[in-house]
Amino acid sequence: MTRDIININDFIILVEEAKVSTNATDLVSESSACAFDEPVIAVAFYGSGNVDLSVKYGDKQRDFNYTKGLALSFYADENVVFDHTVENDKPLECLLIATTTSAIDKLPNQEGELFGEMLNELVNPSDHYVEGPSFIMTPQMQAIVDGLFNIQYEGKTKMMFFRSQITALLSHFFGELANLKTEKLKTPEREKLNQARDILLNNLDNPPSLNEISKRIGLNTFKLKKEFKELFGVPVFKYLQNERLTLAHKMIRNQDATVQEAAWHVGYDSLSSFSNAFEKKFGYRPSQIK
């Protein structure tokens, strides 16, 4: 497990990665727990992996069984413990942007006002742990998070890039929050769309057709296409392509597969088609990953 803490202005950035050895053939799990020294208001962004999360405070507990792509805002004091269960098929990539409650008014560029307006329940908490808005990240946000876990730069250039991307990520978060406050899908339909997303994620190499997905979730194809894009920011099969390429990137980066093997694993029969799509998404060829 690696855990880095970076201070940028009055923000505390926690970058955490953990995985179980890929040599394990049986299901193996490990616990990765953390807590804060003082009360914070934070947003956690989850990258690759579907690691489970338990938030424990007093005799209460909040569980998250699917975290990949999740943006989760919260208030937490010193009595709260965040416990991730990492398994060999559920690695952890978590990027957390936090500020202390005492520093809210000191944040630059009117960011403190944004927190007060958009996350008022966190600025004025009613318990040790208060959960704010959460949603699945847009493709733009996901690309930033993926990029921050795969920075190609070093030294001062790396820190400059990191700082700029954190600012962009927060901007996207508050922008999406504003959109969600004005356009909310009905809860039953949101659950069906989340089910459609899960079907895609569980069948990356051989996904069902839109008609098949539509029948399985009980939502007609017109609504499925329209509302999936509204919720996740991209059409159904563009979302599928993004997930395929993200998984392939991780496999190649971790040396779990060759470029050809990764392409086959995520459903690409043509290596050239895979390489072209990969370069279009990440800006470099899969063969350039070090």
Side-chain angles (χ1 to χ4, degrees):
M1 182 189 77
T2 61
R3 182 180 290 164
D4 295 324
I5 298 175
I6 303 167
N7 291 293
I8 298 177
N9 296 329
D10 285 296
F11 286 111
I12 304 160
I13 315 300
L14 175 64
V15 183
E16 188 168 12
E17 291 185 84
K19 67 176 181 177
V20 175
S21 171
T22 55
N23 294 325
T25 53
D26 297 324
L27 184 64
V28 179
S29 65
E30 297 177 358
S31 178
S32 174
C34 70
F36 299 98
D37 295 332
E38 59 181 311
V40 298
I41 297 169
V43 187
F45 301 92
Y46 285 87
S48 298
N50 302 321
V51 63
D52 295 336
L53 166 66
S54 291
V55 183
K56 303 170 184 177
Y57 52 110
D59 57 354
K60 300 177 183 179
Q61 182 166 318
R62 173 80 164 96
D63 293 318
F64 298 85
N65 297 319
Y66 192 99
T67 56
K68 182 179 180 180
L70 180 68
L72 170 67
S73 63
F74 61 87
Y75 162 86
D77 65 16
E78 306 92 321
N79 299 291
V80 183
V81 175
F82 295 82
D83 192 4
H84 294 102
T85 301
V86 183
E87 299 177 1
N88 47 352
D89 62 341
K90 293 184 177 182
L92 170 64
E93 282 188 358
C94 180
L95 175 72
L96 184 135
I97 304 175
T99 184
T100 61
T101 54
S102 59
I104 282 287
D105 294 334
K106 302 174 185 176
L107 294 177
N109 305 318
Q110 299 180 320
E111 288 166 344
E113 292 181 17
L114 267 178
F115 274 83
E117 293 171 6
M118 308 291 282
L119 300 172
N120 182 62
E121 68 271 41
L122 308 184
V123 176
N124 300 287
S126 57
D127 204 343
H128 296 294
Y129 171 78
V130 178
E131 190 174 313
S134 63
F135 53 83
I136 298 299
M137 288 186 279
T138 64
Q140 294 90 340
M141 296 169 71
Q142 187 72 63
I144 291 173
V145 172
D146 291 342
L148 288 172
F149 280 104
N150 298 283
I151 296 177
Q152 303 289 315
Y153 307 116
E154 298 293 339
K156 294 179 181 178
T157 305
K158 178 178 180 178
M159 183 53 63
M160 181 183 295
F161 177 80
F162 194 92
R163 185 182 295 111
S164 69
Q165 294 302 289
I166 289 296
T167 300
L169 188 57
L170 272 181
S171 298
H172 281 299
F173 172 77
F174 281 114
E176 188 65 13
L177 206 56
N179 290 337
L180 291 176
K181 285 182 178 292
T182 57
E183 297 181 13
K184 287 191 175 180
L185 288 170
K186 296 178 181 177
T187 299
E189 291 187 357
R190 182 181 289 269
E191 291 175 354
K192 290 180 179 180
L193 294 171
N194 284 333
Q195 186 182 352
R197 176 203 60 194
D198 292 348
I199 291 171
L200 291 175
L201 293 175
N202 291 326
N203 297 276
L204 288 179
D205 59 334
N206 187 26
S209 67
L210 280 175
N211 284 335
E212 290 174 310
I213 297 173
S214 178
K215 290 177 182 178
R216 288 174 65 175
I217 67 173
L219 198 66
N220 67 54
T221 54
F222 175 79
K223 275 196 167 185
L224 170 60
K225 290 190 289 185
K226 179 178 181 292
E227 295 181 358
F228 190 99
K229 185 175 181 180
E230 288 179 1
L231 180 59
F232 297 108
V234 290
V236 175
F237 285 106
K238 181 64 175 177
Y239 181 91
L240 173 67
Q241 183 190 51
N242 287 336
E243 292 300 322
R244 280 173 157 176
L245 294 173
T246 299
L247 175 59
H249 190 295
K250 186 174 184 67
M251 293 178 70
I252 298 167
R253 186 179 84 244
N254 291 341
Q255 298 182 339
D256 294 332
T258 65
V259 172
Q260 179 71 78
E261 289 168 344
W264 285 338
H265 184 84
V266 297
Y268 279 86
D269 295 324
S270 167
L271 183 58
S272 62
S273 295
F274 169 72
S275 296
N276 290 338
F278 191 100
E279 184 176 21
K280 187 174 181 180
K281 176 174 173 62
F282 295 107
Y284 47 88
R285 310 289 283 184
S287 58
Q288 294 177 286
I289 296 177
K290 297 179 180 180

